[in-house]
Amino acid sequence: MDKLSLYQTVYTKYPYTLPPLDYAADALEPYIDAQTMHLHHDKHHQAYIDHANEAVGKYPELQKADLVTLLVHADKVPSEIRTTLQSNGGGHLNHGLFWQYLTPGGGGEPHGKLAQAIAKSFGGFAQFKAEFETAAKNLSGSGWAWLCVRSGDDLATGSTANQDTPLTNRQWPILALDVWEHAYYLKYQNRRPEYIANWWHVVNWRKVEEQFDKITS
Ligand code: MN3
């Protein structure tokens, strides 16, 4: 099966729509505050969607393709909207993943096959965590930190600038962390490391395990 299809959802069909959160905006307190969640989900994410819809709205032939396909095959997107779609379509896809991997009462450590793969790829959970944090902290400017499946059950941490997606490089994200300032500035100001440290408390490992199982099955 084409792994790309695992990232195609009802929300990545044109016209793109905002996936509702599975939890209340204040449910991730005190780690991620309600005001940030409202602005981030209802305003920032919606703006990416609006801009992506506006761009694709001019090209009926693109509307039949899933957004994931358009992002991975950017060469097939007219140059007039390529950058707009990369930023805004990418923003829509990335945020859709980000919300899924958050949950109140999250945190802890993964179990099962994912735990084994983390041990194999990084040496252990603590080593993985340190490597992921380094990727997130060292990213200069705006972007995302990722845990991705490379091939088989081999895992890697990494980052992308702006709204780029690891899917372009055929890496399969199973965990996403938004390190744009809009994701944390209201509560944490310039303290990105503190935001990252607190974000671990709301990671939805059950969802990450599920995605890992789908990608590797
Ligand atoms: Mn964001």
Side-chain angles (χ1 to χ4, degrees):
M1 190 195 35
D2 183 4
K3 292 182 184 8
L4 276 181
S5 65
L6 295 171
Y7 296 89
Q8 299 175 343
T9 66
V10 58
Y11 307 108
T12 57
K13 307 272 177 272
Y14 180 86
Y16 316 121
T17 53
L18 186 66
L21 297 172
D22 292 333
Y23 37 83
D26 63 357
L28 306 177
E29 296 263 12
Y31 307 112
I32 303 179
D33 60 291
Q35 193 189 4
T36 295
M37 285 301 291
H38 275 301
L39 288 167
H40 198 181
H41 178 264
D42 308 349
K43 305 293 180 190
H44 286 280
H45 188 169
Q46 185 65 56
Y48 291 115
I49 292 169
D50 293 345
H51 292 133
N53 278 330
E54 196 188 329
V56 174
K58 298 174 205 152
Y59 296 90
E61 71 280 10
L62 297 184
Q63 295 167 13
K64 291 176 222 131
D66 190 277
L67 175 64
V68 170
T69 309
L70 297 178
L71 291 172
V72 171
H73 301 286
D75 52 313
K76 296 194 176 108
V77 173
S79 56
E80 194 207 354
I81 62 159
R82 199 173 294 151
T83 309
T84 303
L85 197 62
Q86 190 182 3
S87 306
N88 293 283
H92 176 36
L93 177 71
N94 292 344
H95 285 88
L97 294 173
F98 180 58
W99 311 128
Q100 282 184 43
Y101 298 130
L102 299 174
T103 186
E109 294 189 20
H111 304 300
K113 284 187 278 180
L114 175 59
Q116 290 163 18
I118 286 175
K120 203 172 99 183
S121 299
F122 302 102
F125 186 72
Q127 289 92 326
F128 150 70
K129 218 173 141 175
E131 208 181 283
F132 187 96
E133 290 202 356
T134 301
K137 285 176 198 164
N138 288 356
L139 179 75
S140 61
S142 299
W144 293 77
W146 304 95
L147 172 63
C148 292
V149 177
R150 281 199 289 208
S151 62
D153 64 353
D154 183 38
L155 298 167
T157 63
S159 62
T160 56
N162 304 313
Q163 296 296 354
D164 291 354
T165 164
L167 293 176
T168 313
N169 299 323
R170 292 300 191 280
Q171 297 217 357
W172 313 104
I174 59 171
L175 179 62
L177 174 58
D178 189 340
V179 285
W180 282 59
E181 281 188 345
H182 70 221
Y184 62 86
Y185 203 84
L186 284 178
K187 182 175 171 72
Y188 296 99
Q189 292 84 48
N190 59 324
R191 304 186 307 279
R192 186 193 283 186
E194 193 182 324
Y195 159 67
I196 298 167
N198 278 340
W199 164 78
W200 292 111
H201 293 283
V202 289
V203 171
N204 188 348
W205 284 113
R206 299 299 84 75
K207 200 83 192 177
V208 181
E209 288 163 5
E210 229 174 77
Q211 184 75 351
F212 174 79
D213 289 343
K214 282 185 201 161
I215 297 289
T216 55
S217 67

